[in-house]
Amino acid sequence: MKSKLLISVLLIITAVVSCIFLAYQLVIKQRLVDSIAEDNLARLSFSAEILAYNFSHNDIEQSKNWLTLKSELRDVERVILVTANKVVVASNQIADEGKPLLEIDANIFNFVSSDTRLDVDENWLQLVQPIYELGSNKASHYLYLKRNISNKLEQLQRQVFYLSVMLISLFLFFFFLYLKVKRQELKRAIFEIQRVITQFNDGAYSARITENKQSDFFPLQCTLNDSFALNEYLQSYLNAQAQFSELVNGLVTDAIVETDAQGMITHVNKTAVTMFGYSHEAELLGSNVIVLIPTQYQRKHSQSMMNHSGKKHMEQVLNTIRNVAAVKKNGEAFPVEIVISQYKVNEQQRYIAFVRDFSDVAKYEQSIKKLAYFDSLTELQNLNGVIHQLKALKLPMQLSVIELEGLQDLNDVYGPKIGDQYICAFANALTELPLQGMIAARVRSSRFIVLHQSSLKEESKQFHKLNKKEVELDDFYVKLKFVRCTAKLLSSESLSDLLGQCDLALRDLDNRSYGSVVKIDVDFLEELKYQAWLKQALEKAIEEQDLYFDYQPKFDTKTLKPCAAEALIRWQCEGEVISPGVFITLAEKKGMMPQLDRYVIRTVCKQIRQWLDMGLEVLPISINLSARHLFEQETIAVIFEHVGEFDIPPHMLEVEVTEYGLIKDYKKTAINMMRLEKAGISVAIDDYGTGHANLETVLSLPIKHLKIDQSFIRLGMKSVKGQAILENIISLAKSLKVVTTAEGVETQEQLDYLKNAKCDAIQGYLLSKPMKLKDFESLMKESNKAV
């Protein structure tokens, strides 16, 4: 320790001396030289002014006397006065006077001739000062001086040496003084630490060391105090844990049984005493754990304990949750859940078992299983129960899916209570059927299934009897009514598909009647699958905007020029063109018309805006919407929204409506039609003369446009009666100021007739078929040029 301290002191002294030496060499010495040089330059400049004055009075002797006095200084090596032509006027060496400076000393000549006024070389200082004529900037003489500054440098070195010695002495004094003080502080700090540790070890757990932030032992003081606090906490925690363990041991719901390696019980808690039917712990302590095991398992347990030294058995048992049987003092067996762990006490093996009474859990699992696999109303199996049991059954089996009829009527008339009695009566009747290996299950409200291994003939016979059976409900009798679908179940994996096929077959209302047996119609199933696929494809097409439009122009009857057009929605799915009659009908059945109508409105409004941006004179475009949803507030709002969104003139959009028989509220419909008409959007009756689009519709609603169905056009040309009807329709429209358009005009004869009848516009294959988008745009461009 002392050697390390001595080395440290020597290193510090060496560092201090080195710093002083470097400071002397780099700063102090240079500062002194600079100071001497500046002082001599100032004096030489002053002397030059005096000599200039003497020269102005031609007092050369005075100048020489000054030079002689200067040369007598101890540190002056050389002093010379030369003319501007570098000829020596005076010198501390008289022999040099009158000679050219170059001959005397070439180095001095070069120095005087240069622009440098000062030069320091080791211990020598050279200075030159030009002497100017009074009132002139021209140098008439030069004064050269060379001085030895070694004395002053040596004096400086001595001062630096003395300073170094003084600093080192002060450092050593204060250093050893510091060590002495520190030693006393260390003794006091160590004594304090020893004292507190002794107190803590003697049981004074609250004893703490006084923490002093200024002390070098502050981190150690904090660490020791933290350790004391932690140990105090651990001690209190262990005490609390011991108390808690005693409390838990008495209150825990699991029984705890501890044994030694030979199976002798060494400890039990209160729960174990109660669980196994004993009165006191003493009854179990010292007994072999075999007393808690049912008789039929005791021998197996003993053999396992004898062989457990091979460890394989214990690895399978230890720390594993097992469900086993246990026995109470009175011999009653009951299910338990047990986990066994091992530990050592003084190198002695111990086993501890945590035992939980599983009686209530077993009952609960049974109830859960009943809920999962059985129908709560009829107590028959449900579909999950059938699937669960199916794996153990011998296949193939005959399957009947039965739909109980008349349940809804009973619920509506007598209430659900009677309906439930009807279901239970039918379920009881099913269970009484004498079919081999029969399993009956209720899979839905009024849907049952029966699996059996009897012949189809026997099955038909038994269900025919069941179909005539009457059951008593409260105080009246009801005859059982049902339809069923039969199939052969070949594998458990095919049950789901087979049930699905039967379900679809039972939806075919045309083949259903009370007591009938519905066959699985492959074509019908395929059609249902196709309809389901088509619905999904249509939803995707609307979402991804895959539907498009063809445009069929309408022509003015007089000029035969295009006056409007009808947007006809089209769909091509996976290379197949789907007819609008197919997918629009599907959309009506599946409730997709509002979605499809919104698509039509937005797409056509957007297209009109694109045409306007192209600079085209756009023809008014009519769109076909469903009457069922057209005049609902939401649909009207969508029309106004997209007309405003794409900023199109309202008169460019016309709404054509069919299926007026779907309108439920004519008053509300009329109000909404007026809103459209007021906004500039006209409403047309499409296919007039068919279905519900008749005279009543025209009179009840504010119609501005009537499209006469093509069937009237064809019939009107075949008979006088037909012509009279057609003429009356056009005449009536004229009287009501309703514009008429004839649909399906295909011959020149029809066109001529409609002209004479003063029909306003025509539409049909005679003048134009539905056109693709590009072709229709070309038609509008040609019409624009013609105008």
Side-chain angles (χ1 to χ4, degrees), residues 418-429:
I418 298 299
D420 289 346
Q421 290 182 19
Y422 183 54
I423 292 173
C424 292
F426 182 71
N428 293 332

Side-chain angles (χ1 to χ4, degrees), residues 6 89 143 148 237 347 388 391 459 462 529 546 668 691 741 767 780:
L6 181 60
V89 175
L143 182 60
N148 189 338
Y237 176 77
E347 299 302 320
H388 179 72
K391 297 177 182 179
E459 177 192 52
Q462 296 301 329
K529 291 179 181 178
D546 283 343
K668 181 180 178 181
T741 296
L767 297 181
M780 286 195 293

Side-chain angles (χ1 to χ4, degrees), residues 57 219 233 351 353 523 541 646 661:
H57 291 80
Y233 170 76
Y351 297 98
D523 293 337
F646 296 103

Side-chain angles (χ1 to χ4, degrees), residues 85-307:
N85 296 327
K86 311 302 186 294
V87 177
V88 178
V89 175
S91 173
N92 62 336
Q93 298 179 12
I94 299 175
D96 295 339
E97 294 182 359
K99 294 181 180 181
L101 182 61
L102 185 61
E103 294 179 4
I104 297 171
D105 192 328
N107 290 330
I108 296 176
F109 176 83
N110 291 333
F111 180 67
V112 172
S113 300
S114 67
D115 294 333
T116 306
R117 296 182 62 191
L118 172 66
D119 181 49
V120 179
D121 183 13
E122 293 297 330
N123 297 329
W124 295 97
L125 179 66
Q126 293 186 90
L127 302 100
V128 65
Q129 175 64 44
I131 302 172
Y132 300 102
E133 296 176 2
L134 293 179
S136 173
N137 292 329
K138 183 178 180 182
S140 61
H141 293 79
Y142 291 92
L143 182 60
Y144 170 79
L145 178 65
K146 184 177 182 181
R147 301 190 70 165
N148 189 338
I149 61 173
S150 59
N151 291 333
K152 292 188 176 182
L153 292 177
E154 289 175 359
Q155 182 182 2
L156 176 64
Q157 289 176 352
R158 287 193 296 272
Q159 291 175 352
V160 170
F161 175 75
Y162 294 144
L163 177 62
S164 300
V165 172
M166 182 181 67
L167 289 175
I168 292 171
S169 300
L170 288 173
F171 168 75
L172 291 174
F173 172 76
F174 284 110
F175 180 75
F176 286 110
L177 181 63
Y178 170 78
L179 289 180
K180 186 174 182 180
V181 174
K182 274 294 177 184
R183 186 177 181 185
Q184 295 298 324
E185 290 180 357
L186 290 176
K187 284 184 177 180
R188 287 195 298 269
I190 292 173
F191 175 77
E192 171 74 5
I193 292 173
Q194 290 176 337
R195 182 183 62 80
V196 174
I197 291 176
T198 301
Q199 291 177 351
F200 190 87
N201 290 335
D202 291 340
Y205 298 117
S206 61
R208 297 291 185 272
I209 300 170
T210 303
E211 296 179 2
N212 182 5
K213 292 184 178 180
Q214 307 302 323
S215 173
D216 293 335
F217 285 89
F218 178 69
L220 178 60
Q221 292 168 350
C222 294
T223 302
L224 288 173
N225 282 339
D226 290 343
S227 298
F228 293 153
L230 178 60
N231 278 279
E232 183 182 13
Y233 170 76
L234 289 176
Q235 187 64 38
S236 62
Y237 176 77
L238 290 174
N239 294 335
Q241 283 294 101
Q243 296 176 0
F244 179 73
S245 296
E246 292 181 4
L247 179 63
V248 170
N249 195 33
L251 297 178
V252 68
T253 57
D254 288 351
I256 300 175
V257 180
E258 184 179 345
T259 70
D260 59 16
Q262 289 71 41
M264 304 305 292
I265 299 175
T266 58
H267 172 75
V268 291
N269 65 347
K270 293 179 180 179
T271 305
V273 174
T274 304
M275 182 183 295
F276 290 99
Y278 291 86
S279 303
H280 304 286
E281 296 179 10
E283 294 182 77
L284 285 171
L285 294 178
S287 303
N288 194 292
V289 74
I290 202 170
V291 301
L292 305 179
I293 300 173
T295 305
Q296 62 269 33
Y297 302 119
Q298 290 179 358
R299 183 178 179 183
K300 183 178 180 181
H301 171 78
S302 299
Q303 291 176 346
S304 298
M305 291 298 293
M306 291 175 61
N307 299 327

Side-chain angles (χ1 to χ4, degrees), residues 32-48 66 70 73 75-79 117-120 123-129 143-150 152:
L32 178 62
V33 171
D34 292 344
S35 175
I36 294 172
E38 289 177 4
D39 181 60
N40 278 274
L41 275 175
R43 292 183 180 185
L44 199 62
S45 177
F46 178 71
S47 299
W66 179 88
K70 183 64 70 174
L73 296 175
D75 58 347
V76 173
E77 174 69 19
R78 198 77 183 270
V79 58
R117 296 182 62 191
L118 172 66
D119 181 49
V120 179
N123 297 329
W124 295 97
L125 179 66
Q126 293 186 90
L127 302 100
V128 65
Q129 175 64 44
L143 182 60
Y144 170 79
L145 178 65
K146 184 177 182 181
R147 301 190 70 165
N148 189 338
I149 61 173
S150 59
K152 292 188 176 182

Side-chain angles (χ1 to χ4, degrees), residues 325-562:
V327 65
K328 296 183 179 182
K329 181 180 179 180
N330 60 8
E332 178 187 348
F334 64 102
V336 296
E337 184 181 79
I338 184 172
V339 177
I340 301 176
S341 297
Q342 65 177 351
Y343 68 100
K344 287 186 177 181
V345 177
N346 298 325
E347 299 302 320
Q348 297 295 319
Q349 193 70 46
R350 291 287 189 272
Y351 297 98
I352 183 169
F354 298 89
V355 186
R356 178 175 297 177
D357 190 339
F358 218 61
S359 301
D360 293 338
V361 176
K363 292 178 182 178
Y364 177 73
E365 287 182 348
Q366 284 296 114
S367 64
I368 291 297
K369 185 176 180 181
K370 186 175 181 180
L371 289 174
Y373 296 140
F374 290 87
D375 175 52
S376 58
L377 178 62
T378 62
E379 297 186 356
L380 294 178
Q381 293 186 55
N382 56 23
L383 184 58
N384 289 331
V386 172
I387 295 173
H388 179 72
Q389 188 180 1
L390 200 59
K391 297 177 182 179
L393 296 178
K394 182 180 178 181
L395 298 177
M397 298 186 77
Q398 192 66 32
L399 170 69
S400 282
V401 179
I402 307 164
E403 182 69 25
L404 182 62
E405 300 283 0
L407 177 62
Q408 189 61 49
D409 293 337
L410 288 173
N411 285 334
D412 292 342
V413 176
Y414 300 103
K417 182 179 178 181
I418 298 299
D420 289 346
Q421 290 182 19
Y422 183 54
I423 292 173
C424 292
F426 182 71
N428 293 332
L430 281 181
T431 59
E432 295 173 359
L433 293 178
L435 297 174
Q436 182 180 355
M438 188 191 75
I439 298 174
R442 181 188 180 213
V443 295
R444 280 210 304 264
S445 175
S446 57
R447 181 68 55 85
F448 295 79
I449 62 173
V450 171
L451 286 166
H452 63 88
Q453 292 178 333
S454 297
S455 64
L456 280 174
K457 182 178 180 181
E458 181 65 20
E459 177 192 52
S460 300
K461 176 183 176 182
Q462 296 301 329
F463 276 106
H464 182 69
K465 292 180 179 179
L466 184 62
N467 198 50
K468 297 180 179 180
K469 185 174 182 177
E470 288 188 345
V471 293
E472 184 179 2
L473 306 177
D474 275 0
D475 56 351
F476 63 96
Y477 287 86
V478 174
K479 186 178 180 180
L480 294 178
K481 302 175 183 178
F482 59 88
V483 292
R484 62 190 178 94
C485 181
T486 63
K488 180 73 76 173
L489 179 62
L490 301 177
S491 66
S492 58
E493 291 79 10
S494 63
L495 177 63
S496 179
D497 292 338
L498 207 57
L499 290 176
Q501 293 174 9
C502 291
D503 182 62
L504 293 175
L506 289 171
R507 296 185 193 179
D508 189 1
L509 301 178
D510 295 335
N511 296 324
R512 285 181 55 169
S513 61
Y514 294 148
S516 64
V517 180
V518 179
K519 302 294 182 181
I520 296 177
D521 187 343
V522 177
D523 293 337
F524 176 71
L525 296 180
E526 290 299 322
E527 177 62 23
L528 287 179
K529 291 179 181 178
Y530 175 74
Q531 290 291 324
W533 171 82
L534 196 64
K535 176 180 180 293
Q536 292 181 347
L538 181 58
E539 289 176 341
K540 183 178 180 182
I542 295 173
E543 181 180 349
E544 297 181 357
Q545 301 182 15
D546 283 343
L547 300 169
Y548 63 96
F549 291 87
D550 288 343
Y551 298 87
Q552 187 171 20
K554 302 174 186 177
F555 296 88
D556 184 275
T557 308
K558 297 178 181 178
T559 63
L560 298 184
K561 292 182 179 180

